Amino acid sequence: MDLAYSAEYDDFRSEVQQFLKEHGHKSPKGRMGWGKTDDEGRSWQQLLIEHGYAARTIPKEYGGYGAEADVLKNHIIAEEFVKAKARPGHSGDPRLVPTLLELGTEAQKKAYIGPTISGEMTWCQGYSEPGSGSDLASLSTKAVLEGDEWVINGQKIWTSGAQYADMIFCLVRTEPDAPKHQGISYLVFKMDTPGIEVRPLVTMTGEAIFNETFYTDVRVPKDQIIGARGEGWFVANATLKHERGSLGDPNQLETRFGALVKMLKSEKIDGKPLIKYPAYRDRLLQLQARVLSMKCNGMRILSASIKDQEPGLCRWIVKLLGCELNHQMAALAIDAMGELGVLYEDSPYLRDYGMWQRNYMLDLGLIIGGGTAQIQKNMIGERALGLPKEPKYKD
Amino acid sequence: MDLAYSAEYDDFRSEVQQFLKEHGHKSPKGRMGWGKTDDEGRSWQQLLIEHGYAARTIPKEYGGYGAEADVLKNHIIAEEFVKAKARPGHSGDPRLVPTLLELGTEAQKKAYIGPTISGEMTWCQGYSEPGSGSDLASLSTKAVLEGDEWVINGQKIWTSGAQYADMIFCLVRTEPDAPKHQGISYLVFKMDTPGIEVRPLVTMTGEAIFNETFYTDVRVPKDQIIGARGEGWFVANATLKHERGSLGDPNQLETRFGALVKMLKSEKIDGKPLIKYPAYRDRLLQLQARVLSMKCNGMRILSASIKDQEPGLCRWIVKLLGCELNHQMAALAIDAMGELGVLYEDSPYLRDYGMWQRNYMLDLGLIIGGGTAQIQKNMIGERALGLPKEPKYKD
Amino acid sequence: MEFALSEEQRLLQDSVTRYLESQCTLDHVRAAVENEVTKHTEVWNGLSDMGIHGIIIPEDFGGVGLGFLEAALIAEALGRTVAPVPFIASCVMAPVAILAAGNASQKDIWLPKIASGETVFGVGVSEQVGRRETNGIQFSDGKLTGKAMFVLEGMSADMLIIADDKGVMHIVDANAKGVTRRNLKTIDKTRAVAEVVLENAAADTLSGSQNNTEALLKTIDTGRLMLAADTLGASEVMIEKAVAYAKERKQFNRVIGSFQAVKHMCAEMATELEPCRSLVWYAAHSVNHIPDESRLLACHAKAHLSEIGRFVAKTSTEVHGGMGFTDLLGLHYWFKRIGLDRQLLGAPELIREEAAVAQGW
Amino acid sequence: MEFALSEEQRLLQDSVTRYLESQCTLDHVRAAVENEVTKHTEVWNGLSDMGIHGIIIPEDFGGVGLGFLEAALIAEALGRTVAPVPFIASCVMAPVAILAAGNASQKDIWLPKIASGETVFGVGVSEQVGRRETNGIQFSDGKLTGKAMFVLEGMSADMLIIADDKGVMHIVDANAKGVTRRNLKTIDKTRAVAEVVLENAAADTLSGSQNNTEALLKTIDTGRLMLAADTLGASEVMIEKAVAYAKERKQFNRVIGSFQAVKHMCAEMATELEPCRSLVWYAAHSVNHIPDESRLLACHAKAHLSEIGRFVAKTSTEVHGGMGFTDLLGLHYWFKRIGLDRQLLGAPELIREEAAVAQGW
């Protein structure tokens, strides 16, 4: 147990701080990620890549910085960027780029990785379908090889960013007679290909964060497949795992907890701050213990990752607990605010830009999305605790 | 919605009150039920039967009072006996006697019902086995017909009262090759039959409320079967339902809640009553809402029963919610008492005879016993909400 | 002894429910919400034709003179269909205030107009539950000055009942000089709350509320009771929708309701909600028949239904998976209805504290 | 940057755990409990041989001079085996009190005796958490008079640390004139608490606790931390036992762990407990290395582990079905261990209030 950093890393931190001091003012406002792009954002990203604060471990030949993987340095970069309120750099879509690096052909890597990390080429993901949520592998969007082209027909949902993405990486069924996990292929193609229709999908928050996308005789060159035909499930899955671990970031929990405390101190009933009401305070303290324990759990994961160890259970639980905890923080904020807590959109007297109600709903979406709580518990029970799967059923 | 009683029932209530005023002093102390018996208890029970306050609807020819079934009169009797702190009368083991009345032969009714309701003959139940809990129908205690006798071998568990019961009603497997629900028979026999061994089963409360019972070549006359051979599951099941509905009595919830409030008012930290601590008080109020809603739910069940209607969901939920609510009341009591809350047995400073810790554990036993919470939820989901059973699986 | 709805009560609720299910469809709700309409919709007028506006108003004043249990049954039906109508403020709270504290002439004037649907009342009593912001209303010389927030149905109302700093209630013309109203947008667009700023606005005092708080408390309590019934109805539907979805939606080649996890989520919702129905009935019944208990019961009904409603709203959404999170099925209208009910007239912790005080704890 | 146990720490915990698993079996626990023995058992002596008694005592005083993280690892191992030994009071709280507030001679005399196992200390500081009953201790003229309740390991102790009404701590000979001890029976027979009545009992004041409460608070906080670690260990085992039972027990022709309901109960227990381990580590680490944070962390570790421990104890018992409710598997020893830990030195609500105060909320 040694929470200090060695000299190498202290030096590295100083470097990052120095960089931010010099260049931080160039950072565009707002936290725009790999999904959307703008001119200002692209030149900031370029600057970060040059200094090794973005696309850090992507090889130079594909436009990255080409450093050795170092979890702690990544962590330091992330921490310092948050502190300086600078927009963090990215390494392209985190589900796509590692997949390309691992399984793409040399031509594919060359064609896609560079533009993706520079922000010239943006992506959306075509995995889920209306009929295939938890049971993703049952997806039914079809691709049939006709000559040198895949012809795609079907529908995807939850396609975030589809309205401005240049490209999509997409799972399609290419072998209709194979067992469901073995009949899928992983295709990449342009979003302006004829036959693609994008419809905004409004969620309960009132915003269209996602889309439905429809594919009618969409023709895609044969070689735009990543990995082998019929192996798309396994191509996609290596990176799905990655996504699951990344939700429920402990820094984000702490930040939100801080906002909650601040609100409870400033808002009053009959002139008395909410935090002085024991029923709210006791709930707040229960949440604080959870936030602290998730923070410690996060340090443990980081520490294991540094040593390239599999963190095990402490990583498996992050999504399940993190999303729920966020949801509960929003719930307490709403309760304590009383009638002010229901205000929304651009209402007068709106507090914190309406983030508590919005988060209360968004967090529920996150509890459901990317593996529902029930699927998470199955995985923890089966993979972490070794409990048996449900027996096979007679059809 | 009319919570008043009609004149007939008001009169009946006065009668009961009058009886209790005259005879109440003869009631033995303590709440001993149909399971155990004593001289004083038997003569009290006899008096109650004569007046129609016990074995009320059991036909006269079997030693009962022979009245028409009247749910409301039963309810009034129960209420008045509680108010007067008089020991309530009984109608024998509630799982056995209705079964005998419905499915017993005339000879069986004659032989068993009278002595049972008078308290001369006491019973224990032999259903559960160590290997058969939630899956009761998988029971493996065997009975083989040899000449005019059943020869029983096996083991039962949770046999409460086995150490002083005269008789047992017992499920045994008589058709080993039949499907599991169709191979069971319902036998009744004397507990002093050779080959029966009773071992006290100590529970987490430290008491031996239950027993394990062992059967080695126990010989029982052929005709001591209730219902047909192989139909024991169905014989037993009609009455199991009965038992499930009866747990989680709302009066008992109110009584316990009253005790909880009283304790929170009298116990103090640094001189301040616990009920003045908002964190405890808020939990208390949440429980109060639940107790009130269960009380109202109970009135609704009663009301439906009076009209001979199936109460539906509001009966299904009683065990699940009632046991949990009792458990939570005990939990709050323990928490609020702080270190005093862990005292047990005959410790100095023990509060309320240690009932809070004892109940905390007993209630957990009740959550598990008589259909675990999980089994209850399956039943509610499938029978009340019509959700499909799990599909059959391949062996 | 009968703890159940009478034949008449069942018929009343069935007919209102049937009417709402046919007229107050999701499409109707979506359209009304888009136009920010909560009065003079066909549904509101249709309810008027059924006599719903005067449900608790005595026959002498043109109403149908039924009790709060009947009103709760209506509120439940409205909650079931997330009906965008000002029932709670205008047909329950305002008549309660006028009946309990109004003089003969106030009753004669306003109760028949409420019952006939001619006038819609908004109600501003939130400051009496706990003052947020720098709101508060002063009364002097027959005029009101100050700011009332979270005035129920404040935008759609013709007339307002406003409680001042001392807890005295007054009738104010919503369109009079010195009255400025501003919509406060909430998550739930099926009902509206408003900020009302008064500057020497003429007030017609409900004099029965001058010397004691009984009338004010009864106004708040019956409002809470109706919110509880509204949540009951909305929660019922969320459970029904979840169960129906669980029977129909397939994943892994099985309907998801055959998975124990989903089945138990449905069972838990149904289990938690079922006793709530009895609690709401009893609490509503008590207003007319067991007044000594009604304050405590109204507090508990509101607070407890808020807690169970939140659990149901969340769980039902989870059972619906991603679909529950979208606007496609419109499930969020019920989610948000329950969310607004929870906060209006006091969120659970505050109300439970009132319940403690009511018992001398 | 390393948030993990060092190789030495892992070895220490492994060796203690292995020793306890082989020696402190359920049979040993049952026997010790029957005889109400918590000191001078073979296990206690064996731990002494391993140097555990002096784990936090500096080498200068005959200890091994390790930190509170090491002590927490021991406490966790003891909780795993529900070991009936007076570790928390005698090997952690008493040395903390003496180190923080004792003079040179008190340290010289007592610390080596604790480390060697010659002397067992009990600790009575409960009144500083919240006074129940009419207890309380007055100090004057070098003598103590009054009643201390819930003195940890009060019966088995040779010496006692007793806090008086002003929060000043004193060393008292448990067998001296004027000291009367009485066993308070609790649900958990693996550790003992006692009532200690003092009548002009000679007291050797820890003078460092006279002018500030730092030493007293540190004594309580480290005690809480050890109770949290104890609960962590006991909860781990309850989960392991539940998972093992779920893999082995068959109902309906399937092992019950293949049912989603049972699987999810196990998953929920594991999920809730896992971050607790990190919290306990960090809280223990902070006592030595981040003292500014250690008060808050000790409060949270104790309160949070109490809540999660209760959930695990209940859920694990449910997974075991009827067997969990009997004495046959002995599961209840862990259940009750967690139950006692929860209440000692402040139940969760009280401790959370302290955490609020510590942050100025």
Side-chain angles (χ1 to χ4, degrees):
Chain A
M1 205 77 163
D2 177 5
L3 305 184
Y5 290 80
S6 68
E8 179 194 352
Y9 291 100
D10 277 343
D11 290 350
F12 183 74
R13 191 185 290 276
S14 307
E15 265 175 50
V16 181
Q17 286 169 341
Q18 185 55 37
F19 169 83
L20 285 165
K21 214 159 146 187
E22 261 173 56
H23 301 281
H25 63 279
K26 299 177 200 162
S27 165
K29 298 292 156 233
R31 194 185 161 104
M32 209 175 262
W34 40 263
K36 266 192 214 169
T37 191
D38 56 9
D39 286 347
E40 210 189 0
R42 274 197 298 276
S43 54
W44 174 244
Q45 168 79 357
Q46 202 47 50
L47 184 69
L48 298 189
I49 295 175
E50 280 161 26
H51 286 79
Y53 304 142
R56 182 172 171 80
T57 57
I58 310 260
K60 279 215 155 102
E61 68 241 64
Y62 308 127
Y65 179 74
E68 285 289 292
D70 187 321
V71 174
L72 198 46
K73 285 188 178 166
N74 289 344
H75 180 72
I76 289 168
I77 296 169
E79 276 193 345
E80 293 303 323
F81 273 67
V82 167
K83 262 192 249 165
K85 293 187 178 144
R87 184 189 291 185
H90 63 83
S91 303
D93 186 306
R95 292 150 304 180
L96 174 76
V97 176
T99 306
L100 284 174
L101 280 170
E102 204 179 318
L103 298 161
T105 62
E106 192 54 32
Q108 288 168 337
K109 293 184 200 179
K110 283 261 158 62
Y112 302 127
I113 297 178
T116 299
I117 60 181
S118 73
E120 284 157 66
M121 182 185 278
T122 59
W123 292 81
C124 60
Q125 170 187 284
Y127 284 2
S128 295
E129 299 183 5
S132 305
S134 293
D135 184 12
L136 181 57
S138 70
L139 59 88
S140 63
T141 292
K142 253 186 288 196
V144 176
L145 199 57
E146 289 185 8
D148 277 352
E149 290 178 330
W150 293 105
V151 182
I152 305 172
N153 280 283
Q155 181 188 350
K156 295 286 176 184
I157 195 170
W158 309 115
T159 331
S160 54
Q163 68 274 44
Y164 46 71
D166 303 306
M167 298 284 295
I168 184 167
F169 54 102
C170 191
L171 292 180
V172 292
R173 186 159 303 282
T174 51
E175 335 294 310
D177 300 327
K180 68 180 178 181
H181 292 92
Q182 289 159 36
I184 295 168
S185 296
Y186 188 114
L187 301 184
V188 298
F189 50 93
K190 290 189 176 171
M191 282 301 283
D192 61 3
T193 316
I196 301 181
E197 189 198 342
V198 176
R199 282 188 218 156
L201 179 64
V202 178
T203 69
M204 67 195 300
T205 66
E207 302 148 307
I209 320 171
F210 300 97
N211 300 279
E212 295 179 283
T213 47
F214 298 83
Y215 306 83
T216 313
D217 292 332
V218 176
R219 293 184 166 267
V220 170
K222 187 181 167 182
D223 61 353
Q224 291 187 198
I225 186 169
I226 311 294
R229 180 172 169 161
E231 290 185 2
W233 179 256
F234 311 98
V235 173
N237 242 359
T239 54
L240 250 189
K241 235 190 287 177
H242 220 74
E243 184 184 13
R244 278 185 185 130
S246 70
L247 290 162
D249 170 14
N251 286 328
Q252 187 266 325
L253 289 173
E254 270 196 285
T255 306
R256 194 180 292 186
F257 185 77
L260 178 59
V261 172
K262 194 175 157 203
M263 188 278 285
L264 290 171
K265 284 180 172 175
S266 62
E267 293 293 328
K268 298 178 174 70
I269 304 176
D270 293 330
K272 182 170 144 188
L274 296 175
I275 204 166
K276 294 295 180 193
Y277 285 77
Y280 299 128
R281 186 169 59 219
D282 194 58
R283 280 175 65 186
L284 181 70
L285 287 155
Q286 292 184 50
L287 294 174
Q288 186 177 37
R290 290 187 168 276
V291 170
L292 281 170
S293 60
M294 289 307 284
K295 177 187 162 181
C296 298
N297 189 68
M299 286 196 274
R300 200 158 141 231
I301 295 172
L302 174 66
S303 189
S305 309
I306 291 169
K307 287 183 281 185
D308 213 16
Q309 294 165 344
E310 174 48 47
L313 190 54
C314 63
R315 192 203 285 278
W316 286 101
I317 61 168
V318 168
K319 197 220 154 190
L320 188 57
L321 286 181
C323 294
E324 182 62 35
L325 183 47
N326 267 325
H327 186 70
Q328 285 179 17
M329 284 195 268
L332 171 55
I334 291 167
D335 287 353
M337 284 195 286
E339 287 161 310
L340 286 169
V342 291
L343 299 180
Y344 202 53
E345 294 180 5
D346 57 350
S347 178
Y349 304 108
L350 189 69
R351 301 305 207 260
D352 295 333
Y353 311 99
M355 68 172 254
W356 298 111
Q357 277 290 355
R358 187 165 177 276
N359 285 336
Y360 184 70
M361 295 186 269
L362 271 182
D363 295 331
L364 184 51
L366 289 174
I367 288 172
I368 294 166
T372 64
Q374 289 65 50
I375 296 288
Q376 300 285 328
K377 289 178 195 174
N378 277 355
M379 290 201 306
I380 292 167
E382 289 163 17
R383 300 197 201 169
L385 304 179
L387 290 165
K389 285 183 174 272
E390 289 198 70
K392 297 270 181 215
Y393 291 95
K394 296 175 185 159
D395 285 326
Chain B
M1 205 77 164
D2 177 5
L3 306 184
Y5 289 78
S6 69
E8 179 195 351
Y9 291 100
D10 277 343
D11 290 351
F12 182 75
R13 190 184 291 276
S14 306
E15 264 175 50
V16 181
Q17 286 169 340
Q18 185 56 36
F19 168 84
L20 285 165
K21 214 160 148 187
E22 261 173 56
H23 300 282
H25 64 279
K26 298 177 200 162
S27 165
K29 298 293 157 232
R31 194 185 161 107
M32 209 174 261
W34 39 264
K36 266 193 215 167
T37 192
D38 55 11
D39 286 347
E40 210 189 0
R42 276 198 297 276
S43 53
W44 175 244
Q45 168 79 359
Q46 202 47 50
L47 184 69
L48 298 189
I49 296 176
E50 279 161 26
H51 286 78
Y53 303 142
R56 182 173 172 81
T57 57
I58 310 259
K60 279 215 154 99
E61 68 242 63
Y62 307 128
Y65 179 74
E68 286 288 293
D70 187 321
V71 174
L72 197 46
K73 285 188 178 166
N74 288 345
H75 180 72
I76 289 168
I77 295 168
E79 276 193 344
E80 293 304 323
F81 273 65
V82 167
K83 263 191 247 165
K85 293 186 179 143
R87 183 189 292 184
H90 63 82
S91 302
D93 186 305
R95 291 149 306 179
L96 174 75
V97 175
T99 306
L100 283 173
L101 279 171
E102 205 179 317
L103 297 162
T105 62
E106 192 55 30
Q108 287 168 338
K109 293 184 199 177
K110 282 261 157 62
Y112 302 127
I113 298 178
T116 299
I117 61 181
S118 73
E120 283 156 67
M121 183 184 278
T122 59
W123 293 81
C124 60
Q125 170 187 285
Y127 285 3
S128 295
E129 298 183 6
S132 306
S134 293
D135 184 12
L136 181 57
S138 71
L139 59 88
S140 63
T141 292
K142 253 186 287 196
V144 176
L145 199 58
E146 288 186 8
D148 279 350
E149 289 178 330
W150 294 105
V151 182
I152 305 171
N153 280 284
Q155 181 187 350
K156 296 286 175 184
I157 196 170
W158 308 115
T159 331
S160 54
Q163 68 274 44
Y164 46 72
D166 303 306
M167 300 285 294
I168 185 168
F169 55 103
C170 191
L171 292 179
V172 292
R173 186 160 303 282
T174 51
E175 334 294 309
D177 300 327
K180 68 179 177 181
H181 292 93
Q182 289 158 35
I184 295 168
S185 297
Y186 188 112
L187 301 184
V188 297
F189 50 93
K190 290 189 177 173
M191 282 301 283
D192 62 3
T193 315
I196 302 180
E197 188 197 342
V198 176
R199 281 188 217 156
L201 179 64
V202 177
T203 69
M204 67 193 302
T205 66
E207 302 149 307
I209 320 170
F210 299 98
N211 300 280
E212 296 180 282
T213 48
F214 298 82
Y215 306 83
T216 313
D217 292 332
V218 176
R219 294 184 165 267
V220 170
K222 185 181 168 182
D223 61 354
Q224 290 187 198
I225 186 170
I226 311 295
R229 180 172 168 160
E231 291 185 3
W233 179 256
F234 311 98
V235 173
N237 242 358
T239 54
L240 249 190
K241 236 189 286 177
H242 220 76
E243 184 185 13
R244 279 186 184 130
S246 70
L247 290 162
D249 170 14
N251 286 328
Q252 188 266 324
L253 289 172
E254 271 195 286
T255 306
R256 195 181 290 188
F257 184 78
L260 179 58
V261 171
K262 194 175 157 204
M263 188 279 285
L264 290 172
K265 285 179 171 175
S266 62
E267 292 294 328
K268 300 178 174 71
I269 303 175
D270 293 331
K272 182 170 145 188
L274 296 175
I275 203 166
K276 294 294 181 193
Y277 285 78
Y280 299 128
R281 186 168 59 219
D282 195 57
R283 280 175 66 185
L284 181 69
L285 286 156
Q286 292 184 49
L287 294 174
Q288 186 177 37
R290 290 186 168 275
V291 171
L292 281 170
S293 61
M294 290 305 285
K295 176 187 162 179
C296 298
N297 189 68
M299 286 195 274
R300 199 157 141 232
I301 295 173
L302 175 66
S303 189
S305 309
I306 291 170
K307 287 185 281 185
D308 213 16
Q309 295 166 344
E310 175 48 46
L313 190 54
C314 64
R315 192 204 284 278
W316 285 101
I317 61 167
V318 167
K319 198 220 152 191
L320 188 57
L321 286 182
C323 294
E324 182 62 33
L325 183 48
N326 268 324
H327 186 69
Q328 286 179 17
M329 285 195 268
L332 171 55
I334 291 167
D335 286 353
M337 283 195 286
E339 286 161 312
L340 286 168
V342 290
L343 299 180
Y344 202 52
E345 293 180 5
D346 57 351
S347 178
Y349 304 108
L350 189 68
R351 302 304 209 258
D352 295 333
Y353 311 100
M355 68 172 256
W356 298 111
Q357 277 290 356
R358 187 166 177 275
N359 284 336
Y360 184 69
M361 294 186 269
L362 271 182
D363 296 331
L364 184 51
L366 289 173
I367 289 172
I368 294 166
T372 63
Q374 289 65 49
I375 297 288
Q376 300 284 328
K377 289 177 195 173
N378 277 354
M379 291 202 305
I380 292 167
E382 289 163 16
R383 300 197 202 168
L385 304 179
L387 290 165
K389 284 181 175 274
E390 290 197 68
K392 297 267 182 218
Y393 57 89
K394 297 174 187 161
D395 284 325
Chain C
M1 156 66 204
E2 181 166 36
F3 191 96
L5 300 184
S6 68
E7 194 52 30
E8 294 74 30
Q9 287 163 340
R10 240 193 320 271
L11 281 173
L12 171 70
Q13 189 173 36
D14 282 356
S15 64
V16 173
T17 302
R18 255 201 319 276
Y19 170 74
L20 288 169
E21 280 173 358
S22 72
Q23 298 303 308
C24 190
T25 59
L26 185 54
D27 284 343
H28 171 84
V29 172
R30 286 191 194 273
V33 157
E34 200 140 305
N35 302 317
E36 300 192 7
V37 173
T38 64
K39 71 169 176 175
H40 306 317
T41 60
E42 312 91 84
V43 169
W44 182 236
N45 297 334
L47 290 170
S48 178
D49 296 343
M50 297 175 87
I52 298 307
H53 293 198
I55 187 96
I56 64 152
I57 294 173
E59 288 171 280
D60 291 352
F61 299 107
V64 292
L66 291 172
F68 288 90
L69 179 51
E70 283 83 358
L73 296 175
I74 306 299
E76 182 187 347
L78 295 168
R80 286 187 61 91
T81 47
V82 294
V85 296
F87 175 76
I88 295 178
S90 192
C91 308
V92 178
M93 295 178 75
V96 165
I98 294 168
L99 281 164
N103 57 34
S105 125
Q106 287 163 331
K107 291 178 193 173
D108 284 340
I109 295 171
W110 296 116
L111 295 176
K113 289 190 179 179
I114 293 172
S116 73
E118 191 183 328
T119 302
V120 167
F121 266 81
V123 177
V125 293
S126 287
E127 287 72 27
Q128 299 299 320
V129 175
R131 190 187 301 178
R132 315 260 174 173
E133 279 284 327
T134 56
N135 48 1
I137 306 274
Q138 285 81 43
F139 177 70
S140 76
D141 263 354
K143 308 271 185 190
L144 288 170
T145 296
K147 184 171 82 177
M149 274 170 73
F150 309 110
V151 178
L152 304 181
E153 305 298 344
M155 295 310 288
S156 64
D158 309 301
M159 300 296 296
L160 301 168
I161 303 243
I162 299 285
D164 68 24
D165 277 355
K166 307 222 153 44
V168 182
M169 294 185 284
H170 311 270
I171 299 176
V172 176
D173 184 334
N175 299 302
K177 192 162 157 282
V179 179
T180 315
R181 296 182 284 170
R182 190 153 61 138
N183 189 25
L184 300 178
K185 282 197 202 170
T186 77
I187 44 164
D188 175 25
K189 308 223 172 312
T190 65
R191 277 128 354 128
V193 295
E195 173 193 36
V196 174
V197 178
L198 303 168
E199 275 188 67
N200 285 312
D204 183 15
T205 301
L206 294 172
S207 57
S209 64
Q210 273 170 330
N211 297 317
N212 69 73
T213 55
E214 275 309 302
L216 175 68
L217 290 179
K218 190 171 179 186
T219 305
I220 293 172
D221 287 345
T222 52
R224 287 175 173 170
L225 198 50
M226 294 303 126
L227 289 168
D230 192 85
T231 292
L232 173 65
S235 300
E236 283 162 25
V237 170
M238 287 200 86
I239 297 173
E240 290 163 16
K241 284 179 187 287
V243 169
Y245 191 78
K247 286 179 183 172
E248 172 198 297
R249 166 83 171 173
K250 279 193 167 186
Q251 291 283 275
F252 305 103
N253 278 328
R254 289 164 56 179
V255 292
I256 60 171
S258 72
F259 285 101
Q260 221 179 8
V262 175
K263 186 179 293 173
H264 286 194
M265 288 164 91
C266 292
E268 284 163 14
M269 286 192 280
T271 299
E272 290 286 8
L273 191 66
E274 190 57 23
C276 292
R277 177 187 311 283
S278 308
L279 179 63
V280 168
W281 285 359
Y282 187 65
H285 176 77
S286 77
V287 180
N288 295 106
H289 301 284
I290 324 170
D292 284 355
E293 293 184 24
S294 68
R295 171 115 251 261
L296 181 64
L297 286 164
C299 288
H300 272 315
K302 171 67 162 67
H304 188 55
L305 265 292
S306 296
E307 303 289 16
I308 302 303
R310 169 177 278 181
F311 167 72
V312 168
K314 180 186 178 200
T315 307
S316 170
T317 306
E318 282 191 71
V319 169
H320 282 83
M323 278 300 125
F325 182 61
T326 69
D327 179 56
L328 295 171
L329 306 176
L331 189 73
H332 63 95
Y333 285 106
W334 283 264
F335 182 97
K336 292 167 180 171
R337 181 98 171 189
I338 292 169
L340 180 63
D341 285 343
R342 181 179 174 98
Q343 307 304 110
L344 291 179
L345 299 176
E349 272 90 355
L350 281 192
I351 296 197
R352 284 195 294 265
E353 270 305 291
E354 286 190 39
V357 172
Q359 299 174 84
W361 289 357
Chain D
M1 155 65 205
E2 181 166 36
F3 191 96
L5 301 184
S6 68
E7 195 52 29
E8 294 75 28
Q9 287 163 340
R10 242 194 318 271
L11 280 173
L12 170 70
Q13 190 173 37
D14 283 356
S15 65
V16 174
T17 301
R18 254 201 320 275
Y19 170 74
L20 288 168
E21 280 173 359
S22 73
Q23 297 303 308
C24 190
T25 59
L26 184 54
D27 284 343
H28 172 83
V29 172
R30 286 191 194 274
V33 156
E34 201 142 304
N35 302 315
E36 300 192 6
V37 173
T38 63
K39 70 167 175 176
H40 305 317
T41 60
E42 313 91 84
V43 169
W44 183 236
N45 296 334
L47 290 170
S48 178
D49 296 344
M50 298 176 87
I52 298 307
H53 293 196
I55 188 95
I56 64 152
I57 295 172
E59 288 170 284
D60 292 353
F61 299 107
V64 293
L66 291 172
F68 288 90
L69 178 51
E70 283 82 358
L73 297 175
I74 306 298
E76 181 187 347
L78 295 169
R80 287 187 61 92
T81 46
V82 293
V85 296
F87 174 75
I88 295 178
S90 193
C91 308
V92 179
M93 295 178 75
V96 165
I98 294 168
L99 281 163
N103 57 34
S105 124
Q106 287 163 332
K107 291 178 193 173
D108 284 340
I109 295 171
W110 297 115
L111 296 176
K113 290 190 180 179
I114 293 172
S116 72
E118 191 183 330
T119 302
V120 166
F121 266 81
V123 177
V125 294
S126 288
E127 287 72 27
Q128 299 299 322
V129 175
R131 188 187 303 177
R132 316 260 173 172
E133 279 284 328
T134 55
N135 47 1
I137 306 273
Q138 284 80 43
F139 177 68
S140 75
D141 262 353
K143 308 272 184 189
L144 289 170
T145 296
K147 185 170 81 178
M149 276 170 72
F150 308 111
V151 178
L152 304 181
E153 305 298 345
M155 295 310 287
S156 64
D158 308 302
M159 300 297 296
L160 301 168
I161 303 242
I162 299 284
D164 68 24
D165 278 354
K166 306 222 154 44
V168 182
M169 294 185 285
H170 312 269
I171 299 177
V172 176
D173 184 335
N175 299 302
K177 193 163 158 279
V179 179
T180 315
R181 295 183 285 170
R182 188 154 61 140
N183 189 26
L184 300 177
K185 282 197 202 169
T186 78
I187 45 164
D188 175 23
K189 307 223 173 312
T190 65
R191 276 126 358 126
V193 295
E195 173 193 36
V196 173
V197 178
L198 302 169
E199 274 188 67
N200 284 313
D204 183 15
T205 301
L206 294 172
S207 56
S209 64
Q210 274 171 329
N211 297 317
N212 70 73
T213 55
E214 275 308 303
L216 175 68
L217 290 179
K218 190 171 178 187
T219 305
I220 293 173
D221 287 345
T222 51
R224 287 174 174 170
L225 197 50
M226 294 303 125
L227 290 168
D230 192 85
T231 291
L232 173 65
S235 300
E236 283 162 25
V237 169
M238 288 201 85
I239 297 173
E240 290 163 14
K241 284 179 187 286
V243 169
Y245 191 78
K247 286 179 183 172
E248 171 199 296
R249 167 82 171 174
K250 278 193 168 187
Q251 291 282 275
F252 305 103
N253 278 328
R254 290 164 55 179
V255 293
I256 60 171
S258 72
F259 286 101
Q260 220 178 9
V262 175
K263 185 179 292 172
H264 287 194
M265 288 164 91
C266 292
E268 284 163 13
M269 287 191 281
T271 300
E272 290 286 8
L273 192 65
E274 189 58 22
C276 292
R277 176 188 313 282
S278 308
L279 179 64
V280 168
W281 285 359
Y282 186 65
H285 175 78
S286 78
V287 180
N288 295 107
H289 302 283
I290 323 169
D292 285 356
E293 294 185 22
S294 69
R295 170 116 251 261
L296 181 64
L297 286 163
C299 289
H300 273 315
K302 171 68 163 67
H304 188 56
L305 266 290
S306 296
E307 302 290 16
I308 303 302
R310 169 176 279 182
F311 167 71
V312 168
K314 180 187 179 201
T315 307
S316 171
T317 306
E318 282 192 70
V319 169
H320 282 83
M323 278 300 124
F325 182 61
T326 69
D327 180 55
L328 295 171
L329 305 176
L331 188 73
H332 63 95
Y333 285 106
W334 283 263
F335 183 97
K336 292 166 180 170
R337 182 98 171 189
I338 292 169
L340 181 63
D341 284 344
R342 180 178 174 99
Q343 307 303 111
L344 291 180
L345 299 176
E349 272 90 356
L350 281 192
I351 296 197
R352 284 195 293 266
E353 270 306 291
E354 285 189 41
V357 172
Q359 298 175 85
W361 290 357

